[in-house]
Amino acid sequence: MVLKKLLQLFGIVGKKKKDDKKKGKSIDPLSQGAASHSTLNILAKSSHLDSCSSGAGTALPLHKYEPECSRNISTIKGVNGSEIVDYKSFNQFDVVQDYSDHHYAKTSPGNTTKDWAKTIQNEWKLLQQDLPESIYVRVYEDRIDLIRAAIVGSAGTPYHDGLFFFDIHFPPEYPRNPPKVHYRSGGLRLNPNLYESGRVCLSLLNTWTGSGSEKWGKSKSTMLQVLVSIQGLVLNDKPYFNEPAIFIPREKHSLAYNQTAFVLSCKTMLHSIQKPPKHFETIIICHFHEREQAILEACGAYSSGMIVGSSVRDGRTYARNKYFARFKKSLEAQTEILAKELAKNRIRALELKRDSTDWIVSTS
């Protein structure tokens, strides 16, 4: 099973329960230690992940659900050696209140049942216990049919160091039918499976063709599998091959697609910083403050000819031609804009550190 192998790769299948404090994960695309996603790419090729063409009621409330992990404040070294609050110390899973900016906020939960509510509560528990370190989830106490997830782009892909946000809705037919998933695209199409409209094409969501275990199954599929599949099989190192009409694989086309995907990923970073989704503001500030230097170094390396997603020691470079010249010009323009916004974000990070220090003093 593709999903079972993927879950094993992330250490989810057969894994003991994690410690209560869920730490984040630093990913440096330009370091030799950055994890390769070649295995994930093989899984992606063997699965049906190709892109596709473009009741009234009240949700039953759960008993108040207290996440087991606690909020512990710590600091990290950011750019220029400055210390800020560590976003890794913030809960990977948490229960929040305000859902006003959620894509499905105005969607009626429909006529739900106690079994439906119990199934969602089990999903919450699974997410809290087994989320990979680079996925963050917020659920809503007053709308248990809604979830918001942030996925960190993996090393070795054109999406490295990015944050990608998804709004999720459990329909009243859940788990007979899969959840509804909306990608917060900012109007950008940076992957064959992720549309500007927010549509997510994935066999597991029944939004693309598939068979057997590739499709949603009410007794075996979970929200955790959906998030892991998006991170590993959609946001992979060669997204070009997710296109449905690729009959003759062409590596040069894949390399060119990765160039475009990285520039769009940089634009997505900019959008996330300027318009952060609710409940992820702090994670966004701290993540991009910590990764600022790595992101800008990657932009410089790719502009000088290094292949997108490769490490410094890899040494692979693009052929110098008109296509690379176009990419170089586009990336340099985007890097200038992004660098200015990251500098502003640095100030916000330092203000966050000051406010957190004041909070710690006032409560000690």
Side-chain angles (χ1 to χ4, degrees):
M1 290 174 58
V2 172
L3 282 173
K4 184 175 181 181
K5 291 180 180 179
L6 183 60
L7 292 170
Q8 288 174 337
L9 184 65
F10 276 98
I12 292 172
V13 172
K15 179 174 71 172
K16 293 182 180 180
K17 183 175 177 179
K18 291 181 179 180
D19 294 334
D20 287 344
K21 181 180 176 183
K22 299 246 185 170
K23 292 186 177 180
K25 182 178 182 181
S26 296
I27 299 173
D28 189 348
L30 298 178
S31 70
Q32 193 175 31
S36 168
H37 274 64
S38 57
T39 305
L40 293 179
N41 189 53
I42 292 171
L43 294 175
K45 290 177 183 177
S46 64
S47 65
H48 290 71
L49 283 168
D50 299 325
S51 78
C52 55
S53 12
S54 331
T58 303
L60 290 172
L62 286 175
H63 295 298
K64 188 168 180 62
Y65 186 88
E66 294 292 344
E68 296 176 10
C69 44
S70 60
R71 175 172 173 170
N72 298 296
I73 303 296
S74 59
T75 60
I76 56 171
K77 290 288 185 181
V79 68
N80 299 329
S82 57
E83 286 190 345
I84 60 168
V85 173
D86 186 359
Y87 75 97
K88 300 171 192 174
S89 67
F90 286 84
N91 298 342
Q92 279 186 267
F93 178 94
D94 211 347
V95 184
V96 295
Q97 295 287 338
D98 186 1
Y99 55 86
S100 59
D101 72 330
H102 197 283
H103 179 75
Y104 295 103
K106 296 182 180 180
T107 299
S108 170
N111 296 313
T112 58
T113 66
K114 290 182 179 179
D115 286 341
W116 173 86
K118 184 177 179 181
T119 300
I120 293 176
Q121 187 172 32
N122 289 334
E123 291 279 15
W124 284 17
K125 291 179 180 178
L126 183 62
L127 289 168
Q128 184 194 352
Q129 294 171 9
D130 290 330
L131 275 174
E133 293 179 335
S134 49
I135 298 178
Y136 294 84
V137 167
R138 296 295 179 264
V139 298
Y140 302 87
E141 185 174 6
D142 297 328
R143 283 289 302 271
I144 67 171
D145 60 308
L146 304 181
I147 290 180
R148 173 166 290 164
I151 296 176
V152 180
S154 300
T157 75
Y159 309 108
H160 66 74
D161 289 314
L163 281 174
F164 305 93
F165 292 90
F166 298 85
D167 285 355
I168 298 138
H169 164 63
F170 293 116
E173 302 81 17
Y174 190 83
R176 293 194 308 276
N177 293 341
K180 306 292 184 183
V181 180
H182 174 84
Y183 169 55
R184 298 176 68 92
S185 70
L188 303 172
R189 176 108 185 258
L190 46 64
N191 185 282
N193 301 86
L194 304 176
Y195 282 67
E196 300 99 319
S197 64
R199 182 177 177 83
V200 178
C201 283
L202 190 66
S203 297
L204 188 58
L205 295 175
N206 293 348
T207 52
W208 186 247
T209 57
S211 60
S213 61
E214 294 167 343
K215 301 285 284 183
W216 180 266
K218 66 177 182 179
S219 61
K220 57 182 175 55
S221 301
T222 66
M223 191 63 240
L224 178 62
Q225 289 177 324
V226 171
L227 295 177
V228 170
S229 294
I230 292 173
Q231 184 181 49
L233 300 178
V234 174
L235 298 169
N236 64 51
D237 60 341
K238 295 183 178 181
Y240 172 76
F241 296 111
N242 286 359
E243 289 282 9
I246 303 301
F247 302 109
I248 302 176
R250 297 186 182 276
E251 189 66 23
K252 65 178 183 180
H253 293 161
S254 176
L255 293 174
Y257 191 98
N258 279 9
Q259 291 176 336
T260 301
F262 181 73
V263 172
L264 293 176
S265 182
C266 289
K267 290 183 178 181
T268 300
M269 294 179 195
L270 189 68
H271 180 77
S272 296
I273 295 171
Q274 293 176 336
K275 297 181 179 180
K278 287 184 183 298
H279 310 297
F280 287 87
E281 297 90 342
T282 299
I283 291 174
I284 289 171
I285 290 172
C286 297
H287 171 82
F288 285 114
H289 181 70
E290 184 193 0
R291 305 308 300 155
E292 176 182 351
Q293 184 174 346
I295 291 168
L296 295 179
E297 285 180 356
C299 290
Y302 301 154
S303 295
S304 67
M306 186 176 297
I307 288 180
V308 170
S310 63
S311 69
V312 172
R313 293 180 178 84
D314 186 277
R316 292 181 299 152
T317 58
Y318 294 104
R320 295 297 198 275
N321 53 37
K322 63 180 181 180
Y323 301 108
F324 174 75
R326 201 174 301 150
F327 162 67
K328 177 181 172 68
K329 182 178 180 181
S330 176
L331 179 56
E332 287 178 341
Q334 189 59 39
T335 302
E336 184 178 354
I337 298 171
L338 183 59
K340 291 179 180 178
E341 195 60 40
L342 287 172
K344 295 178 184 177
N345 184 70
R346 193 186 316 150
I347 296 173
R348 289 191 287 269
L350 296 175
E351 290 174 347
L352 179 63
K353 177 198 178 248
R354 182 195 62 203
D355 293 344
S356 298
T357 302
D358 292 343
W359 177 77
I360 292 171
V361 171
S362 66
T363 56
S364 59

